[in-house]
Every structure is written in structure tokens, then in C-alpha cells.
Amino acid sequence: MNTSVLVLFVGLLCYASAASFIPGTNPQLVETPKGTTPCVTPKQWEGRFSEWDHNKDANNRYKISFDGVKRRKYVEEEMKSMIPGRRLMKYLILFDEKVEYQIDPSYNRCKQIPMGPWRNFSIPPDATFEDAYSIGGAGNSINVTEWSDRKPSRSYETWIGGYTETNCWPVFEIFTMKNDDINIDMTTRFFDITEGIKNMSVFDVPAICNQAVLATTPDTSNTWLNEKLASWIPNWAKDFLGWQKIDDVTAVPPVNVRVPWPAKNLGLDTNKPMKTVERFYRKI
């Protein structure tokens, strides 16, 4: 071996050994404290959560009654802001019966929709400990442990969850997975949780759902903004009115059009082309 190369190699080894004794030069992995095992979330609870679907650019809030004993959920959408024509849906998920209902109280309608995988909102028994910390500040904080499905030296995480040290309540979940069959990028935050379910009848199937069948084609009648109206409303007006994307939207790419006559009353230059506002559809 060339003498200069050998000297350089030995020098690097000496530097690496010395660096391990210099604070801040050798970051240490957060190891699982002795005795730390995944806590167990209560099987039945009620609360609220927000769900940010990054793929759909939609952030919605819900109320939930969760029954982990019989694997069922009752979910109600909450209104975040005034959106013209917005209809708030209710969802009844009966996982063991392999059925999910979407209920539209405004029109007293119900239909079956495809059911996703069961989300238990608890720490898997084989989860990997990631960290422990407090959320908040001195005198006003909660202790949280963070877990993931990462397998050390084998795979990266697709799920990360934070849970309170006391009672093991879920605080947040981050779920991201992309392959040929699945494309999920979701952040969920939990709050206002109380143990137990006040009214078990929320899991009863409503009479309007007795004849519901699984929907196989999109229902485009559920538009919240008329397409003709959307063709002339400018983006600044949409922003001013507080309109926003909502769950499971489908956007039609904007096209160049002339500003139609209603814009004249707004003092806009009707001789210049403008971009149409996207046309949105509600969740089906």
C-alpha cells in the first residue's frame, strides 16, 4: 500500500475515534428506555380529530365515537367555515360486518361506500420506540411517547404515532405509503377525548340505510358550486369569500376565458383574459 495512503487512512481512524469523545460530533440514537413497552389505549372513547390529506390538499374536522371492542366507528363532519352549498356527512363504519355507510342528513339519503383498512388508533404491539418528550412548556405540558412501524436496519417507517404517557390517548398519527396499489399521505391530530361512549345507539344502522347498496359510479349531482357560475368567478373573489377545497375534491384544470358580463359590475377589465376558478365536487 502506498505510504501516503496508509498514513491518511490511519489518520482518519484516529480522527473518528477522537471525535466520539467530543460532545456534539457523534450524534447518539435515542434508545428505548428500559421497561418501555407500547401502552394500551382504552377500547372505547369519544372525541374530535382533524385529518389532513396531503394528496388531496384537504383538511377536515370530525367528531368520533370509537368502539375498538366490536371494531366500529361513528363519525360526523364538523363545519370549519361557511362554505356555500357544503353538506356535512356522517359515516358509520362496521368493520367486522364489512360495510361503511355515508349518510347525508340534508337530503335524508344513505349509501354504501368502499371501506378502507381498519385504523385502531393505538400503538401496535411490535411498534418501535422513537422518542419521549413533552408538548407545551414549563408548567403547562403533557408527556408523550412516539412510536413507529420502522424496523431497525431493515425498513423505514410508514406510520408514526404520538400517545400521552398517561392513559395512552392518541395525540397524532402520520401515515405515508406509496406503491403501485396505495398512495396515502395523511396527518391526523386528536383532541377533546373522553373515555367511554355516551350513546351506543349511534352504531345502529339508520332505516334509510336498509336498502343502501355499494356505490359503483360517481354521483356528480352532489356539486356544491355550479359549473357555469365557476366559469366567471375570479380567484381573488373565491379567496375573499373564504371558499376552499374540501374532502375528496376533483379539480378541472382552469382555462383562459373572457370575463363575462357579471364582472362588469365589479369594475373588472372585460377585455383581458382571466383564469377560471377550479370546479369542485364534494366527496361521493
Side-chain angles (χ1 to χ4, degrees):
M1 179 183 290
N2 187 287
T3 304
S4 60
V5 174
L6 177 61
V7 171
L8 177 61
F9 179 72
V10 173
L12 290 173
L13 286 178
C14 293
Y15 174 79
S17 299
S20 64
F21 297 98
I22 301 175
T25 61
N26 186 27
Q28 299 296 313
L29 293 175
V30 178
E31 297 182 356
T32 305
K34 292 182 179 180
T36 299
T37 56
C39 58
V40 179
T41 302
K43 293 287 188 180
Q44 295 179 331
W45 51 269
E46 292 182 312
R48 300 169 61 220
F49 69 95
S50 69
E51 198 167 66
W52 185 5
D53 189 329
H54 303 275
N55 288 330
K56 298 168 183 173
D57 194 20
N59 187 3
N60 293 303
R61 295 192 179 190
Y62 305 87
K63 293 180 181 178
I64 182 173
S65 298
F66 177 86
D67 182 6
V69 177
K70 296 185 177 181
R71 295 207 296 179
R72 39 186 197 172
K73 302 173 188 175
Y74 174 74
V75 180
E76 292 184 6
E77 284 187 279
E78 287 187 327
M79 181 178 291
K80 290 198 310 180
S81 58
M82 192 55 151
I83 304 175
R86 174 71 188 269
R87 302 209 299 270
L88 302 179
M89 299 295 177
K90 300 179 180 180
Y91 301 90
L92 177 60
I93 300 100
L94 307 175
F95 192 80
D96 287 344
E97 298 176 28
K98 296 180 173 56
V99 62
E100 178 174 351
Y101 297 103
Q102 182 192 64
I103 304 163
D104 184 349
S106 300
Y107 288 84
N108 198 35
R109 294 191 302 193
C110 175
K111 65 180 177 182
Q112 286 190 40
I113 59 176
M115 185 173 57
W118 174 254
R119 294 177 62 190
N120 207 38
F121 300 138
S122 62
I123 308 172
D126 60 346
T128 298
F129 175 82
E130 295 290 350
D131 204 353
Y133 47 81
S134 63
I135 295 179
N140 189 15
S141 63
I142 59 171
N143 294 328
V144 171
T145 58
E146 187 175 292
W147 303 80
S148 78
D149 62 347
R150 177 178 61 88
K151 301 304 178 187
S153 303
R154 285 190 290 167
S155 65
Y156 293 105
E157 60 272 11
T158 61
W159 168 86
I160 298 176
Y163 294 79
T164 60
E165 194 175 86
T166 303
N167 294 329
C168 201
W169 295 122
V171 177
F172 69 87
E173 282 190 337
I174 301 172
F175 189 29
T176 176
M177 177 182 293
K178 187 174 183 179
N179 55 38
D180 293 339
D181 302 315
I182 299 175
N183 185 8
I184 299 174
D185 192 1
M186 193 90 67
T187 299
T188 307
R189 297 182 300 113
F190 301 87
F191 34 89
D192 297 340
I193 295 178
T194 57
E195 188 169 2
I197 299 172
K198 295 179 181 178
N199 183 8
M200 283 291 185
S201 66
V202 295
F203 300 113
D204 295 341
V205 178
I208 59 172
C209 296
N210 289 336
Q211 303 300 320
V213 295
L214 185 63
T216 56
T217 57
D219 179 10
T220 57
S221 65
N222 196 20
T223 58
W224 71 271
L225 187 63
N226 183 274
E227 291 188 12
K228 292 182 180 179
L229 183 64
S231 67
W232 65 265
I233 297 179
N235 285 332
W236 66 263
K238 179 181 68 171
D239 295 336
F240 177 76
L241 294 172
W243 296 347
Q244 60 187 6
K245 289 186 177 182
I246 54 180
D247 200 17
D248 284 2
V249 299
T250 300
V252 178
V255 295
N256 286 324
V257 295
R258 294 286 175 178
V259 180
W261 68 266
K264 295 180 181 179
N265 297 330
L266 300 176
L268 299 180
D269 185 355
T270 57
N271 294 318
K272 293 181 179 180
M274 59 175 285
K275 294 286 187 180
T276 61
V277 62
E278 295 96 337
R279 295 180 286 252
F280 300 102
Y281 295 90
R282 280 191 38 76
K283 180 172 181 177
I284 59 171

